[in-house]
Amino acid sequence: MSRSSLDTDHSGLDALNARVRKDLELLCRPPANWVPPRHVKGQPVVDVVIIGGGMCGLVAAFALHSAGIRNVRIFDRNPTGYEGPWVNYARMETLRSPKQLTGPAYGIPSLTFRSWFTAQFGETEWDALDKIPRPMWMDYLRWYRAVLEIQVENDVNVDRILPEGDYLKLDLSGAGTNDAQVFARKVIMATGRDGTGHPNIPAFVDGLPKSAWAHSSEDIDFKALKGKRVAVVGVGASAVDNSAEALEAGAAEVRHLIRRKHMPTINKMMGIGSFGFTAAFPRLSDAWRWRFMHYSFLTQTPSPRGSTLRVSRHPNAYFHFGKGIDRIAHDGRELDIAMQDGSRLKTDFLILGTGFTVEPLARTELDGYADKILLWGDRYAAPAGLQHSELAKFPYLADDFAFQEREEGAAPWLSAIHCFNYGASVSLGKVSGDIPGISEGAAWLAREIAATLYREDVETHFAAMEAYDKPELLGDEWTEAPLPGEELDEPALKTGSDAR
């Protein structure tokens, strides 16, 4: 089902918008800002800067606003309406998540995807809907941003984050940039799947002409693959989605080269998802957290059934298991792929469905001190049989999603940078990117940031309490009386303004 096949009821959406506004009014959201303003070098300091205006950035902003933290700016490198992967490099037809999950609604029924969908297309179409079409999810997020009046500054790159006294200085660039630099107390990296790393590019493509291969996260000209032989490395969701795109564009053949001996079929994390898991995971021992994530990595999340069928329905699609790649040569015309088992394959184009790697050192925003970030490999020595080089590169985060120092005192400002993206999953669970737990993660993040901001300004808040002088009782609410047999030595309290 695509949005174009449905009749949109614009009056229904107008009514939903009014309902959202009423719900927010009833919940007293957002409250007034309570964070005292600060300035540095004659410039106002932003309380929280959010890097990324996609789903994570939007719900983080709404959570902060709902907590009375209003001095927030959001920067996104993409044009307006194109934040996140949904209409950029994501190529699945539908989302994997069940349609009824509440996602970034933050506990407000009128903000759910279901409310947005049924307001326009009705309950009958909702019942008929199987999975959420990917472009429709992006339309929902665009509406979410608009109805909540979340301001995102688009076409803005955050080039570097540097310590500047008590603050963080962010160097900005891009067509949408109004300030070359801004100062912030806290920074949230809501930067998505590659938020603390980069696309995973295997060494076997080193030296190959870039015209002969692409990573699944890149802008691929699928029309140019018509009549071509294509090899796809991997069988995860992104690999399968890109395979389907190539087949539908008319590729002569698409062959999946899969290192595993068998197709992953069970989403293990789906089987244990619960509020208990979300709440307990950060409180588990390092050994248990590592064990859960290691098993998830080992078993691998399978591609969705619909996505896999989208590929296999083509007679010129092939799945080859036990085909780890040893090396690849290019003779100027075609690729010659040598497998680890001795077999070979000649093809015209290679797509890497190899996902992303977590590697803080690769983030240019953290250039100059990324090596000072505490990693899981620094903190936890996995026992025999449970070692995993990728897991070891994940940052070992504090309870508020903040980076921690590898060496105490070497980079104390790291505690002001919060990793609200895929990089947080080993430390804190699936609450900073996946639809099921995103609202819980945002609430948790906002609460921790609010607590930190308040502690940092505690003297100011105490002084405000001392200076507060608005009476609730004016003095005319009572009359002082003596006990039996006693007389008052002083006249009764005066009323009105004199009572103060």
Side-chain angles (χ1 to χ4, degrees):
M1 180 187 297
S2 65
R3 183 178 177 183
S4 60
S5 67
L6 299 173
D7 295 326
T8 303
D9 180 358
H10 295 290
S11 64
L13 194 57
D14 290 341
L16 177 62
N17 292 342
R19 180 180 151 203
V20 170
R21 290 191 288 270
K22 187 62 177 180
D23 286 345
L24 295 178
E25 178 187 340
L26 291 172
L27 292 169
C28 301
R29 293 185 185 176
N33 183 74
W34 52 265
V35 185
R38 293 192 181 193
H39 292 77
V40 62
K41 297 182 177 180
Q43 183 174 333
V45 175
V46 183
D47 291 327
V48 184
V49 164
I50 300 174
I51 305 175
M55 180 178 69
C56 287
L58 292 176
V59 70
F62 182 51
L64 291 169
H65 293 168
S66 297
I69 302 171
R70 305 289 296 277
N71 180 16
V72 176
R73 292 179 72 176
I74 309 172
F75 302 123
D76 194 283
R77 63 189 178 188
N78 295 303
T80 301
Y82 290 85
E83 303 83 6
W86 311 107
V87 290
N88 292 320
Y89 62 82
R91 298 183 175 110
M92 64 281 201
E93 290 183 316
T94 67
L95 273 58
R96 174 194 298 271
S97 301
K99 64 180 180 180
Q100 70 272 13
L101 295 184
T102 57
Y106 207 65
I108 301 175
S110 57
L111 280 177
T112 60
F113 174 84
R114 179 174 182 173
S115 291
W116 175 83
F117 183 95
T118 56
Q120 300 171 91
F121 313 121
E123 291 290 344
T124 301
E125 293 292 351
W126 171 259
D127 292 338
L129 182 67
D130 178 27
K131 299 281 188 179
I132 300 173
R134 170 181 49 81
M136 187 178 283
W137 181 256
M138 187 68 230
D139 286 338
Y140 161 70
L141 292 177
R142 290 168 178 149
W143 168 80
Y144 180 98
R145 168 180 171 176
V147 75
L148 293 177
E149 300 180 349
I150 299 174
Q151 302 299 314
V152 178
E153 298 175 56
N154 288 90
D155 297 303
V156 176
N157 296 302
V158 177
D159 298 323
R160 292 193 72 189
I161 306 170
L162 295 167
E164 182 87 9
D166 293 332
Y167 306 109
L168 296 169
K169 183 183 73 172
L170 285 73
D171 292 333
L172 310 178
S173 65
T177 304
N178 294 315
D179 305 293
Q181 58 185 215
V182 298
F183 294 93
R185 295 178 67 178
K186 310 293 175 189
V187 170
I188 296 173
M189 295 183 69
T191 41
R193 184 64 177 79
D194 62 337
T196 42
H198 55 79
N200 183 21
I201 309 297
F204 53 67
V205 300
D206 291 350
L208 297 179
K210 193 61 181 71
S211 59
W213 67 273
H215 188 269
S216 61
S217 65
E218 295 182 281
D219 185 11
I220 300 174
D221 183 3
F222 286 98
K223 291 181 180 178
L225 299 180
K226 183 176 181 178
K228 302 286 188 180
R229 299 166 298 172
V230 178
V232 177
V233 180
V235 76
S238 62
V240 168
D241 293 330
N242 279 266
S243 172
E245 290 280 330
L247 289 161
E248 291 164 1
E253 67 174 31
V254 174
R255 297 183 181 273
H256 279 271
L257 304 180
I258 306 158
R259 183 175 52 189
R260 294 170 179 269
K261 296 290 176 70
H262 305 286
M263 176 75 88
T265 60
I266 301 172
N267 185 349
K268 295 288 188 175
M269 296 298 281
M270 179 75 74
I272 63 168
S274 69
F275 185 78
F277 179 78
T278 299
F281 188 85
R283 303 289 179 258
L284 298 176
S285 66
D286 288 355
W288 269 116
R289 286 187 285 176
W290 181 277
R291 189 173 173 183
F292 271 108
M293 296 306 299
H294 181 270
Y295 186 70
S296 176
F297 267 62
L298 212 62
T299 54
Q300 188 180 5
T301 301
S303 172
R305 172 176 166 79
S307 296
T308 309
L309 288 172
R310 184 183 169 201
V311 171
S312 62
R313 66 173 173 241
H314 294 270
N316 54 335
Y318 307 91
F319 296 85
H320 304 289
F321 296 92
K323 298 299 178 184
I325 296 176
D326 182 34
R327 62 189 184 280
I328 305 178
H330 189 265
D331 64 3
R333 296 180 301 105
E334 61 182 5
L335 294 165
D336 183 2
I337 304 175
M339 315 295 174
Q340 294 171 354
D341 65 358
S343 59
R344 305 180 79 90
L345 174 71
K346 293 184 183 294
T347 193
D348 299 310
F349 193 78
L350 184 73
I351 296 177
L352 301 175
T354 47
F356 297 88
T357 184
V358 170
E359 189 174 357
L361 284 169
R363 301 304 303 187
T364 57
E365 305 99 323
L366 309 178
D367 187 32
Y369 57 85
D371 60 333
K372 295 176 172 59
I373 294 174
L374 181 69
L375 306 180
W376 268 83
D378 302 319
R379 187 66 176 260
Y380 180 69
L386 291 179
Q387 291 94 346
H388 199 290
S389 59
E390 288 185 54
L391 286 178
K393 293 179 181 178
F394 276 73
Y396 190 95
L397 301 180
D399 286 349
D400 60 353
F401 294 86
F403 292 120
Q404 299 191 84
E405 301 171 282
R406 179 174 288 173
E407 180 182 344
E408 186 175 356
W413 60 87
L414 286 172
S415 64
I417 305 177
H418 302 262
C419 179
F420 194 57
N421 55 51
Y422 175 66
S425 57
V426 179
S427 295
L428 302 173
K430 301 285 189 175
V431 293
S432 54
D434 290 356
I435 290 172
I438 191 67
S439 285
E440 286 83 357
W444 177 1
L445 174 67
R447 182 174 60 250
E448 294 295 332
I449 288 180
T452 301
L453 290 174
Y454 198 93
R455 285 197 304 268
E456 292 175 354
D457 289 328
V458 66
E459 291 185 2
T460 301
H461 291 298
F462 186 80
M465 183 176 72
E466 290 181 310
Y468 183 75
D469 63 355
K470 181 180 180 180
E472 295 189 26
L473 296 178
L474 302 179
D476 58 354
E477 299 88 353
W478 76 94
T479 301
E480 185 176 359
L483 286 171
E486 290 185 338
E487 293 184 3
L488 290 177
D489 294 331
E490 300 290 339
L493 287 174
K494 295 180 181 180
T495 61
S497 60
D498 292 336
R500 296 164 53 190

